[in-house]
Amino acid sequence: MEPNELLNYKEPAPITDKENPFESMMERFDVAAEMLGLEKGVYEYLKTPVKQIIVSIPIQMDNGEIEVFEGYRVIHNDILGPSKGGLRFAPDVNINEVKALAAWMTWKCAVVNIPFGGAKGGVRCDPAKLTPVELEKVTRRYTANMLDIFGEDKDIPAPDMGTNEQVMAWIMDTYSMHMKRTATGVVTGKPLIIGGSLGRREATGRGVMMVTLGAMEKIKLKPKETVIVVQGFGNVGSVTAQLLQQQGCKVVGLGDVTGGYFSKKGIDVEKAIEWVKTHKVLSGFTGAEKITQSELLELECDVLVPAAKEDQITARNAPKIKAKIIAEGANGPTTAKADPILKEKGIIVIPDILANAGGVTVSYFEWVQDRVGYFWSLDRVNRRLERMMTAAFNSVYETAELYKVSLRIGAYIMAIDKVAKTLKVRGIYA
Ligand code: NAD
């Protein structure tokens, strides 16, 4: 989001489905932990965050009054390396949500084999109601409160809901002022001019495209014969649709918050991107006919990419899904109750912690470039991303075959096993 877009930020719609995406995640964690025969102590260790910080952020608002916001940072696990995870500014964010999101990051980093642990941060505020000056004050005071937590070798934030490149730049600057040196590697998702990485904006969608091609190959689907539907047309959805179309796939369905859009003969994704650049949303797009959100998810297709939000594929609509592959661009788009239904139908689900890990992978590249002080070409970023996503996809696939489980449980088994084995080797310091 650009700074002025932050001002238009709307509170996310409440989750209507009864399942909580984080409980859904922990349910899968439990299944994987049991399959691994994790001993009780290790299980407890992996469930418990290593650090939880709550700070107060008093700000003098533009009208002269003082308001106090609450800020959080949870480090779920740092056994694999410095912890990594986004910073969320939202009116309803709370410590429990941040705790769950931090755990999610631990598994995601472990799946793609990057040397990071998992963390997440949040500030309970409504960025839509803050002026740019107030937003900067909140960010800088939050950072000042986290000076002992953040650090290139300790804990590295990134953007998430309600935060953007500019917020990351303020974090980097505040931290650098206190350290009395320019510390670019303390945060990722920065503007290019202060040490951001080429290719980061497209990284998540590019990663989704790569693992989708991997899954298609497993079931011998050639791009030219593959029909795609993408729900969500923001950063992740639009890049995924664009790149899959460039690979030769036919995109018949797109959707965003305004509804679904369908064309049997295929939608010109470039035109849709142009449309959204001018109109912000797909509404009114003339290159396809309007359908409902549920019709979109239930379209006849080979690959469905939910890239909008959590809890979209539930026990209610899972029986009606016709795709052969679901590539989870969003975090938690499938509820735990939908999993067995999709499995029964033989649908391959590429789980979020693998499918959308391209973003954190290029964040890792950004951190590496900052630390070395040498910046890569876009081509090098993309080649390395491809290498890591392909390796992760193959490892998850092999683990799933070995344990005779879904790719999702395979991914959790792989991640938990890696963290647990690292813990065994390092030992418990007492
Ligand atoms: P975004 O804000 O750029 O786009 C979200 C899109 O979803 C928009 O097109 C919006 O209109 C649409 N949408 C919102 N509510 C909807 C609804 N109820 N029904 C249908 N469409 C709806 O967000 P993004 O960065 O593309 O993130 C999308 C998902 O991917 C989120 O779950 C996010 O956590 C996840 N994710 C993003 C990244 C990243 O790098 N951006 C990385 C990992 C995971």
Side-chain angles (χ1 to χ4, degrees), residues 1 13 88 108 120 159-161 200-201 203-205 231-238 255-259 276 280-282 293 296 306-310 312 328-333 352 356-360:
M1 283 193 282
R88 175 171 292 194
K108 205 181 277 194
K120 204 82 185 185
D160 191 68
M161 261 165 61
R200 195 190 177 281
R201 191 191 65 82
T204 306
Q231 183 209 33
F233 205 63
N235 176 293
V236 182
S238 66
D256 70 2
V257 72
T258 66
V276 171
K280 300 244 177 290
V281 283
L282 281 168
Q293 299 283 7
L296 180 81
K309 56 189 298 234
E310 68 285 346
Q312 296 303 295
E328 295 186 336
N331 283 319
D352 44 14
N356 69 37
V360 72

Side-chain angles (χ1 to χ4, degrees), residues 40-41 94 106 170 173 301 323 359 409 411 418:
K40 197 169 172 296
N94 58 66
T106 301
W170 289 326
D173 183 68
C301 65
I409 299 300
K418 181 166 184 201

Side-chain angles (χ1 to χ4, degrees), residues 198-390:
L198 289 169
R200 195 190 177 281
R201 191 191 65 82
E202 306 84 5
T204 306
R206 184 168 285 277
V208 177
M209 179 268 285
M210 287 164 179
V211 293
T212 302
L213 292 179
M216 282 161 52
E217 212 177 292
K218 295 286 180 199
I219 56 167
K220 303 199 169 19
L221 259 179
K222 295 197 176 61
K224 291 221 161 10
E225 299 157 1
T226 305
V227 173
I228 312 267
V229 170
V230 180
Q231 183 209 33
F233 205 63
N235 176 293
V236 182
S238 66
V239 174
T240 306
Q242 183 182 38
L243 295 179
L244 283 170
Q245 188 163 67
Q246 283 170 12
Q247 293 293 320
C249 302
K250 181 155 95 170
V251 178
V252 299
L254 291 177
D256 70 2
V257 72
T258 66
Y261 300 83
F262 167 71
S263 166
K264 195 160 189 254
K265 65 177 187 359
I267 299 173
D268 185 336
V269 177
E270 300 297 338
K271 278 204 177 129
I273 289 173
E274 279 311 308
W275 181 272
V276 171
K277 261 191 201 147
T278 352
H279 300 88
K280 300 244 177 290
V281 283
L282 281 168
S283 180
F285 176 59
T286 46
E289 73 180 85
K290 182 92 191 280
I291 56 174
T292 65
Q293 299 283 7
S294 36
E295 282 168 341
L296 180 81
L297 295 175
E298 293 159 20
L299 278 176
E300 199 75 56
C301 65
D302 299 301
V303 179
L304 173 65
V305 183
K309 56 189 298 234
E310 68 285 346
D311 280 351
Q312 296 303 295
I313 301 169
T314 66
R316 248 178 300 139
N317 62 6
K320 298 186 214 145
I321 291 199
K322 301 186 187 69
K324 300 182 181 82
I325 297 169
I326 295 175
E328 295 186 336
N331 283 319
T334 309
T335 67
K337 288 200 177 70
D339 274 354
I341 303 170
L342 300 174
K343 189 156 189 278
E344 179 69 21
K345 286 171 67 98
I347 299 175
I348 301 174
V349 180
I350 314 171
D352 44 14
I353 56 171
L354 168 64
N356 69 37
V360 72
T361 303
V362 176
S363 265
Y364 164 55
F365 295 166
E366 180 177 332
W367 178 79
V368 170
Q369 294 171 75
D370 287 335
R371 309 211 68 196
V372 178
Y374 174 74
F375 290 86
W376 307 349
S377 65
L378 178 59
D379 189 48
R380 176 174 288 200
V381 170
N382 288 344
R383 270 187 287 121
R384 291 186 170 176
L385 174 64
E386 175 157 26
R387 206 185 303 155
M388 293 190 67
M389 291 303 292
T390 307

Side-chain angles (χ1 to χ4, degrees), residues 42-227:
V42 176
Y43 174 83
E44 283 305 320
Y45 168 85
L46 293 181
K47 275 201 134 173
T48 319
V50 299
K51 217 176 266 177
Q52 304 179 55
I53 302 107
I54 302 181
V55 293
S56 102
I57 304 169
I59 295 299
Q60 184 157 33
M61 307 298 275
D62 287 2
N63 64 7
E65 283 175 17
I66 293 171
E67 258 192 58
V68 183
F69 300 92
E70 197 163 84
Y72 317 97
R73 187 75 183 168
V74 173
I75 296 174
H76 171 257
N77 198 282
D78 57 359
I79 197 118
L80 296 183
S83 48
K84 187 90 192 78
L87 172 62
R88 175 171 292 194
F89 283 2
D92 56 351
V93 70
N94 58 66
I95 190 78
N96 283 330
E97 182 182 335
V98 174
K99 227 156 91 174
L101 289 165
W104 216 320
M105 286 305 299
T106 301
W107 315 133
K108 205 181 277 194
C109 293
V111 164
V112 276
N113 207 16
I114 55 181
F116 285 146
K120 204 82 185 185
V123 176
R124 204 176 168 83
C125 68
D126 187 348
K129 297 199 178 121
L130 297 176
T131 66
V133 171
E134 291 164 349
L135 190 66
E136 179 172 351
K137 283 185 182 171
V138 168
T139 306
R140 288 190 184 274
R141 183 66 187 245
Y142 172 80
T143 309
N145 277 331
M146 295 293 167
L147 284 177
D148 292 339
I149 304 298
F150 292 166
E152 296 103 313
D153 287 317
K154 287 157 70 179
D155 180 41
I156 309 133
D160 191 68
M161 261 165 61
T163 60
N164 60 9
E165 284 193 350
Q166 180 59 68
V167 172
M168 297 306 114
W170 289 326
I171 294 177
M172 179 279 221
D173 183 68
T174 309
Y175 185 83
S176 297
M177 287 298 125
H178 281 271
M179 297 299 137
K180 305 202 183 306
R181 64 185 164 88
T182 295
T184 50
V186 72
V187 68
T188 63
K190 299 178 294 294
L192 213 52
I193 199 164
I194 55 161
S197 177
L198 289 169
R200 195 190 177 281
R201 191 191 65 82
E202 306 84 5
T204 306
R206 184 168 285 277
V208 177
M209 179 268 285
M210 287 164 179
V211 293
T212 302
L213 292 179
M216 282 161 52
E217 212 177 292
K218 295 286 180 199
I219 56 167
K220 303 199 169 19
L221 259 179
K222 295 197 176 61
K224 291 221 161 10
E225 299 157 1
T226 305
V227 173

